[in-house]
C-alpha cells in the first residue's frame, strides 16, 4: 500500500529536525537561577475555633468554649505543626506573616498561647524573622495579663472584633460585650502594646436593627479611639446563621435593605476621608500618620495582602485551609476526626482543589484587585497574556462606568469601585472564565 499525501500548492514545507525543547536556549537568563535557588516565603494561618458565644451572624467553624476541650485541641494543633513542617518541607521556608484567627484566639490561656508559639518556633526555622504577627481578639477576652503575653510573644498587630458601638445593635447580634467593654478593651490593648503593635477594629455594616443614626454613631466611636486601622465588613445572612433564621425565614428581626447597607458604606468612606483614614483594600482603612505609602505598609494586614497577591500559605487547625503551588488544601471541620487523624500520624486534610492555568489567572484577578491596584505587567510576566487583551471589552465597560481607571501598567479602583466592593473582581473573573468556552 502506498501512502500519498497531497500538500497545498501554496506551501513549500521542509522536513525539519527534531525540536526537543521550548523556548529556545537563547531566551534563557542567568537571573532565573538565583530566583529558583532562593526559598520563596510563605504565610501561616493558625485557627483557634473557640468562642465565648456564637454570634447571630457567624458562619465560621467555631466551638463553644469548654475548658476540657481547649488543652486537648492545643496539644493536637502542636502535633499538626510538627507534621506539616516536615511533610511539606516548610521548616526552612522564610515566614512572611503569621495570622491567628478564629473563633477567638485570645480565649486560649497565656500558657496555651505560649505553647503554640513555641511549637511554631521549634518547627519553622525562620519564624522569628516574620514581618508581621497578627492575632484576632474580642473585647471580653482582652485583659492586661493576656496582652502582656501577646507582647512577649512578638505580636505586632491586634485585630479587635467590635462590630458595633451601639448596645442595642450589639445585643441583637448575639455578642456578649457592650459599648463600655469595647472601649475598655481598646484602651487596655493600646496601653499594653504602645510602640509594639497596631490595632485594627472590625465594624460590621448591615447588622439587624442598624439605622443611619446608629451606624454614624459607631463610625464616630471607632474614629475617637484613634486606632491605626478600621475594617468595615458587609454583613451577610448565610443560611447556617441565627440572623438568617430570624431575619429571612421568620422575619422577626429587621435586616437593613441592600440600598441602606450601601448608604452605610458610603457614609463610612466619606467620614474616613474627612478623618484622614485611607483605604489599602476596598474595606480596610488606615490612619495616615504622615506619609500615606508608609502608613499603608505599616498598618495593613501583611498576611491578607500577600496571600491575595499569590504568596503560598498554609492553614493549621480544624477547618483551616491554605494554598501550596497549584493546590488548595483544607483540613477536616470535624474536631473528633481532626484529633484522631493526627493521633495516627496522618495529616487532617479532607479536601483540595488543583488549580488549572485559567483558575490561577481568575484567582489572581479576583483577589488581587481587592487591594485597589492590579499590576498588569506582572500578570503578563507570570501568565504570558495581557489581561487588557483577554478582557478588553469588560475593562472598557468598567472604565466607562466609572469603576476603574486603566493604564498600560495597572488597573486602579475608583471611589465607586471601592464602594461596590468585589464587583470589579467578580466581573473580570466572569470575563476570564468565558475563555473555557
Amino acid at each position: 500500500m502506498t501512502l500519498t499525501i497531497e500538500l497545498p500548492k501554496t506551501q513549500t514545507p521542509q522536513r525539519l529536525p527534531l525540536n526537543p525543547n521550548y523556548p529556545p536556549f537563547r531566551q534563557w537568563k542567568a537571573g532565573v537561577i538565583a530566583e529558583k535557588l532562593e526559598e520563596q516565603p510563605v504565610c501561616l494561618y493558625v485557627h483557634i475555633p473557640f468562642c465565648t458565644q456564637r454570634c447571630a451572624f457567624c458562619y465560621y467553624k467555631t466551638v463553644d468554649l469548654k475548658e476540657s476541650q481547649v488543652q486537648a485541641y492545643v496539644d493536637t494543633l502542636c502535633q499538626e505543626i510538627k507534621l506539616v513542617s516536615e511533610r511539606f518541607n516548610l521548616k526552612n521556608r522564610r515566614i512572611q506573616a503569621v495570622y491567628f484567627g478564629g473563633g477567638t484566639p485570645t480565649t486560649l490561656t497565656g500558657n496555651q498561647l505560649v505553647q503554640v508559639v513555641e511549637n511554631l518556633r521549634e518547627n519553622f526555622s525562620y519564624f522569628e524573622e516574620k514581618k508581621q504577627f497578627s492575632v484576632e481578639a474580642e473585647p471580653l477576652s482582652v485583659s492586661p495579663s493576656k496582652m502582656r503575653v501577646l507582647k512577649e510573644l512578638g505580636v505586632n498587630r491586634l485585630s479587635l472584633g467590635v462590630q458595633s458601638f451601639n448596645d442595642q445593635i450589639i445585643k441583637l447580634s448575639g455578642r456578649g460585650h457592650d459599648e463600655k467593654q469595647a472601649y475598655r478593651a481598646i484602651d487596655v490593648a493600646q496601653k499594653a502594646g504602645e510602640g509594639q503593635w497596631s490595632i485594627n477594629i472590625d465594624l460590621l455594616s448591615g447588622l439587624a436593627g442598624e439605622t443611619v443614626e446608629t451606624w454614624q454613631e459607631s463610625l464616630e466611636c471607632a474614629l475617637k479611639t484613634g486606632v491605626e486601622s478600621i475594617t468595615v465588613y458587609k454583613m451577610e445572612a448565610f443560611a447556617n446563621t441565627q440572623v438568617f433564621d430570624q431575619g429571612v425565614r421568620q422575619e422577626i428581626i429587621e435586616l437593613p435593605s441592600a440600598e441602606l447597607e450601601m448608604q452605610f458604606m458610603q457614609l463610612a468612606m466619606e467620614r474616613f476621608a474627612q478623618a484622614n483614614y485611607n483605604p489599602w483594600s476596598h474595606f480596610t482603612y488606615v490612619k495616615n500618620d504622615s506619609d500615606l505609602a508608609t502608613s499603608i505598609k505599616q498598618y495593613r494586614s501583611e498576611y491578607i495582602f500577600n496571600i491575595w497577591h499569590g504568596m503560598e500559605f498554609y492553614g493549621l487547625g480544624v477547618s483551616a485551609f491554605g494554598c501550596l503551588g497549584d493546590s488548595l488544601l483544607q483540613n477536616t471541620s470535624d474536631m473528633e476526626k481532626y484529633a484522631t487523624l493526627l493521633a495516627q500520624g496522618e495529616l487532617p486534610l479532607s479536601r483540595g482543589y488543583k488549580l488549572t492555568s485559567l483558575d490561577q489567572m481568575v484567582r489572581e484577578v479576583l483577589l488581587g484587585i481587592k487591594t485597589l491596584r492590579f499590576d498588569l505587567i506582572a500578570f503578563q510576566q507570570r501568565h504570558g497574556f495581557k489581561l487588557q487583551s483577554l478582557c478588553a471589552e469588560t475593562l472598557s465597560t468598567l472604565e466607562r462606568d466609572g469603576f476603574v481607571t486603566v493604564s498600560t501598567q495597572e488597573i486602579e479602583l475608583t471611589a465607586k469601585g471601592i464602594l461596590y466592593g468585589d464587583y470589579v473582581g467578580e466581573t473580570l473573573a466572569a470575563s476570564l472564565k468565558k475563555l473555557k468556552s
Side-chain angles (χ1 to χ4, degrees), residues 381-392:
Q381 289 173 340
R382 276 189 291 272
H383 303 291
F385 297 100
K386 285 187 175 181
L387 185 64
Q388 54 270 53
S389 297
L390 296 175
C391 301

Side-chain angles (χ1 to χ4, degrees), residues 355-368 374 379-380 382-387 390 428-429 432-433 435:
L355 298 162
T356 65
S357 296
L358 181 57
D359 286 330
Q360 291 179 55
M361 288 193 289
V362 169
R363 181 178 171 84
E364 185 174 326
V365 169
L366 191 63
L367 298 180
F374 187 82
F379 180 90
Q380 184 180 358
R382 276 189 291 272
H383 303 291
F385 297 100
K386 285 187 175 181
L387 185 64
L390 296 175
L428 285 170
L432 280 172
K433 289 175 185 177
L435 297 173

Side-chain angles (χ1 to χ4, degrees), residues 213-263:
E213 290 72 28
T214 61
W215 178 245
Q216 288 178 317
E217 175 189 337
S218 283
L219 292 176
E220 294 305 320
C221 290
L223 289 168
K224 187 169 65 175
T225 66
V227 293
E228 291 79 12
S229 172
I230 303 174
T231 296
V232 178
Y233 290 112
K234 180 181 183 294
M235 201 283 291
E236 293 287 342
F238 289 96
N240 66 335
T241 63
Q242 181 183 330
V243 74
F244 183 89
D245 182 54
Q246 295 182 346
V248 179
R249 288 196 184 101
Q250 301 183 55
E251 297 183 348
I252 59 176
I253 59 173
E254 185 176 356
L255 300 177
S257 66
E259 292 76 20
L260 184 55
E261 195 282 327
M262 182 76 76
Q263 187 180 351

